[in-house]
Amino acid sequence: MHPITAQLVHQTIRPRPAESYKGNYGRVLLIGGNQNFGGAIIMAATAATYSGAGLVTVATDPQNFASLHARLPEAMVMDYHQTDAVLALMAGVDVVVIGPGLGTDPGADQLLSAVLTAAKPQQRLVLDGSALTLLAATPRPLPASPIVITPHQMEWQRLSGLAIKDQSPTANRRAQRQLGVIAVVKAHHTTIYTDQDVWFNPGGTPAMATGGMGDTLAGMVGGFAGQFSDFTAAILSAVYLHSAIADDLAATRYVVLPHQISALIPEYMHRYSVAVPD
Amino acid sequence: MHPITAQLVHQTIRPRPAESYKGNYGRVLLIGGNQNFGGAIIMAATAATYSGAGLVTVATDPQNFASLHARLPEAMVMDYHQTDAVLALMAGVDVVVIGPGLGTDPGADQLLSAVLTAAKPQQRLVLDGSALTLLAATPRPLPASPIVITPHQMEWQRLSGLAIKDQSPTANRRAQRQLGVIAVVKAHHTTIYTDQDVWFNPGGTPAMATGGMGDTLAGMVGGFAGQFSDFTAAILSAVYLHSAIADDLAATRYVVLPHQISALIPEYMHRYSVAVPD
Amino acid sequence: MHPITAQLVHQTIRPRPAESYKGNYGRVLLIGGNQNFGGAIIMAATAATYSGAGLVTVATDPQNFASLHARLPEAMVMDYHQTDAVLALMAGVDVVVIGPGLGTDPGADQLLSAVLTAAKPQQRLVLDGSALTLLAATPRPLPASPIVITPHQMEWQRLSGLAIKDQSPTANRRAQRQLGVIAVVKAHHTTIYTDQDVWFNPGGTPAMATGGMGDTLAGMVGGFAGQFSDFTAAILSAVYLHSAIADDLAATRYVVLPHQISALIPEYMHRYSVAVPD
Amino acid sequence: MHPITAQLVHQTIRPRPAESYKGNYGRVLLIGGNQNFGGAIIMAATAATYSGAGLVTVATDPQNFASLHARLPEAMVMDYHQTDAVLALMAGVDVVVIGPGLGTDPGADQLLSAVLTAAKPQQRLVLDGSALTLLAATPRPLPASPIVITPHQMEWQRLSGLAIKDQSPTANRRAQRQLGVIAVVKAHHTTIYTDQDVWFNPGGTPAMATGGMGDTLAGMVGGFAGQFSDFTAAILSAVYLHSAIADDLAATRYVVLPHQISALIPEYMHRYSVAVPD
């Protein structure tokens, strides 16, 4: 089990080449946010945007358009009920994040299936939150795309069949291999299972134990996945920085709000891009 | 009559254990915010979230969803007209805050009764604002749950039958015992009546004399009640910190806005968790 | 012609008595904001709230509720089409500000007339923006209430019949006496005409030459009028501080946005309440 | 090919005369923001407002009113489907910015044609984003007004017929002369083609490679065009300051969000108005 290191993050987040444009930094589509959980997709999209994604589109319930734009004018929006339009736009993106606040009703279930069916091999997928609950309830074939899932321990139990007390690295590894996806199992010290290795995140603070933290991580993973060629390194770097920012904020805060992490992503990415912080 | 002390707050707000997750810090349901008073429930939910509540859901008029999410994506929302759905969600929460901006129309009255009827003995209730007006107008049996009410002096008059000029500690004590709930009677120096003791809050400033201050306190009480096992200590700590933050802000401000208090709750909770401030 | 002095402002904005509550600091009703000019009433209400008004209600087009609450949860809202409800609430307020973004359609005209008819002698009125345009187009009897109008030079031309080039202090004085209201004639150096005196504001900067400045002043006047017993002193102090804040901001800004002024009102009021600044 | 210099910006952004009012600083109408791209017009309008435009009106889909006002109460709004009302208001403005988030459906196309037809010779036009896509798809006569277009390289390819690899200064110059408008061709170092000269912008950073940057520049160009008499100098100054702010922010940020640039425009304009920065 390897720790994610500051060195790895530094080697992943490289200074951007001068001659580049927004198309070089990832087209990211985030899908989620029903009439009850709109905040989740807002937080995920915020994290993706502040992570440097070149273009961010949010497919969500139209109820969430006003609040999303009030917080994040940088994102584009579309009605996630219009499946054909979502799939048409999806055809041109580099990364799809699906799940934050998506809910588990039949419409959500069908949308997840449609997205999984439409995914192309070169598109990266981030499955989070409700998408994992839906998958656990109704397993379905996963596309050949690079896929990362970001379950918390209860979602992981549903997906893997492993009770929380049985979620040892060895058992998790076995379950991950059966699923065939990279698994980010969120806990006090998050562990990440790839086909090659098992990683753990040295950071993390109980000040992060509040709603929306996972949505923010999913958005960061999506944002990083659109920019950095090594998918695993992108995921590991997002996990590391998400908690590194929280740890620093928690030095003076009893609880850290998700949007406070997103606001600092650009500065932390810069810091790690130029040097390995102490 | 005991003063609430910084020492008591310090002993209540303990550093969080490393191995913990959002479910450990309270599921809080806030109910309120009609078509005229939506800001009240926004302010209460903001205070609960910044107080460190693990999961916050707001049952309100759908008109308020966009503004709530624009300010607080961390909260989940539901339509408070759907009583069955509200009660179903309520069954799984640790704390219910009802009243801020709820209004006093028949729908609000029925919702209050439904919530009081559905409350389980282990759920903590915070009754504020319109809920107190409704209770005074139509007394009804209170559940066996731990309950705190947070009236200002006029609301307390309606509830207790005591004219403001007659609201002495002794008379208040008697009225509180009849009601059988913890009573936070808000005034320049707020007094708190429990079955065991009478407390007074040493802080407070006339810079707090502005709309929304009470909604913010109700949200803080709800947030603290979801995290700290001693209900009375949680309430007293919320009352104390609410005014401690305001007092500090008022050193340079003629009026303190409620949302300015909420923004500082995480830092003040941290400060009191590590030491007794001077 | 007297300059408004820092001394006058200091003598007006007194430290608040410890034993006081929000009802002591003014119930302010702001009326305005149609489907095109919603921002105007948002800015006015923001200024009133940050000026320390105890309770702020905004009667506006419902289209503006979400954006108002997203910026200012401290305010209550109501639909200004429901004239009876507006008048019923108005009966209990101390100050009415009418005009910012109200527009000049027949509905606005009727609402203005209804408000003028319903005003009680002890209620203070602030007439601004569209209300002045409507009054100029259709003069109507003004109530016996203390009234202040806040025209810019073109609105003053319409009201007084004085072309801008003829708006000398002497001519303005004569027109003000005929109208029987306090007139704040906004210009680079704003002049204020009362029954007793003519005042001029020493401050002001061309960085304030941007939309919404007047709405912000109207809201400040409303907020101050609800708190300070001397109506004239309240008005003069609002005019003075509005530009004093702008002058300070303009030391480092080419243009000052209205909401930036409002954000600083509490700190400036505090500063003047404790001493005469240099 | 001339570099835009700090000296040129300094000579353009002059201290404002004391005796002036908002009408002196430009009435700017921005048209755009459909149901998917509302954020684009919000960002453009924010940039125009923070650039010091005297009065800003946004014609957009009504869906965007709430989010626009939540971020920018200083702007007025109107429904861009009401073409007659848009044209009526347009008759009184100094600058029209059309295109950000406008989309390319038939309604957008007709609105663009109506605006181009209605433009008066003394009105300045800024054509951006979707307006350029529409123009390239269906060329139409341009009015005699001073016009600037702000294409990125792909939009410029569509408009000029020059493949990106063929967009040399000489070829661009030729294309610009045929179009008869000032062309701001956005790239790592943006180049600007006027009838007299070719300019290049020395600033720019890959941290700007994110959605909304162009919308922000279009809004700045509109804001500057309403204030500074020399149209070319206004455009050049907007281009220069837009990247100068981004370059400074990028010293500590891996990505710069468009709204972060707008927030700093007033301070940068002030700085350049008083001296040539080092």
Side-chain angles (χ1 to χ4, degrees), chain A residues 13-14 16-22 25 49-50 53-54 65-66 69-71 73-74 76-78 227-228 266-267 269-270, chain D residues 35-40 42-43 63-64 66-67 70-71 188 206-207 209-211 250-255 257-260:
Chain A
I13 305 176
R14 307 308 308 146
R16 291 180 162 188
E19 295 285 347
S20 58
Y21 75 108
K22 59 189 173 188
Y25 299 113
T49 303
Y50 282 76
F65 288 177
H69 272 151
R71 294 190 70 86
E74 286 84 1
M76 294 165 283
V77 297
M78 63 189 314
Q227 290 173 80
F228 305 121
E267 293 177 51
M269 290 182 79
H270 173 76
Chain D
Q35 298 209 348
N36 296 116
F37 309 137
I42 294 174
M43 290 185 283
Q63 176 191 277
N64 303 315
S67 46
R71 293 190 71 86
H188 171 49
T210 193
T252 56
R253 284 170 180 83
Y254 194 73
V255 61
L257 278 295
H259 74 264
Q260 297 170 332

Side-chain angles (χ1 to χ4, degrees), chain B residues 174-262:
Chain B
R174 205 175 311 125
Q176 175 267 325
R177 294 207 160 171
Q178 284 179 330
L179 285 164
V181 300
I182 297 178
V184 175
V185 181
K186 295 179 287 192
H188 171 49
H189 290 300
T190 291
T191 47
I192 300 97
Y193 301 86
T194 73
D195 287 345
Q196 287 73 41
D197 291 298
V198 180
W199 300 81
F200 75 92
N201 182 33
T205 159
M208 300 172 80
T210 193
M213 256 326 149
D215 307 310
T216 297
L217 177 60
M220 281 185 76
V221 170
F224 280 42
Q227 290 173 78
F228 306 121
S229 55
D230 183 327
F231 189 42
T232 298
I235 296 163
L236 296 173
S237 297
V239 169
Y240 183 96
L241 276 193
H242 180 252
S243 65
I245 297 171
D247 285 344
D248 287 354
L249 288 171
T252 57
R253 284 171 181 82
Y254 194 74
V255 61
V256 173
L257 277 295
H259 74 265
Q260 297 170 331
I261 292 180
S262 290

Side-chain angles (χ1 to χ4, degrees), chain C residues 91-108:
Chain C
V93 305
D94 303 299
V95 181
V96 179
V97 179
I98 184 166
L102 179 65
T104 55
D105 65 18

Side-chain angles (χ1 to χ4, degrees), chain D residues 42-112:
Chain D
I42 294 174
M43 290 185 283
T46 300
T49 303
Y50 281 75
S51 295
L55 283 165
V56 171
T57 301
V58 177
T60 186
D61 190 283
Q63 176 191 277
N64 303 315
F65 288 178
S67 46
L68 177 75
H69 272 152
R71 293 190 71 86
L72 191 72
E74 286 84 1
M76 294 165 284
V77 297
M78 62 188 314
D79 181 353
Y80 71 178
H81 296 103
Q82 301 180 349
T83 308
D84 289 351
V86 172
L87 296 181
L89 185 132
M90 178 180 156
V93 306
D94 304 299
V95 181
V96 179
V97 179
I98 183 166
L102 180 65
T104 55
D105 65 18
D109 194 76
Q110 289 161 24
L111 184 55
L112 174 62

Side-chain angles (χ1 to χ4, degrees), chain A residues 156 160 162 166 168-181 193-195 198:
Chain A
W156 182 235
S160 67
L162 294 166
D166 298 327
S168 66
T170 307
N172 287 348
R173 184 91 214 252
R174 203 176 310 123
Q176 176 266 325
R177 293 207 161 171
Q178 285 179 330
L179 285 164
V181 299
Y193 300 85
T194 73
D195 286 346
V198 181

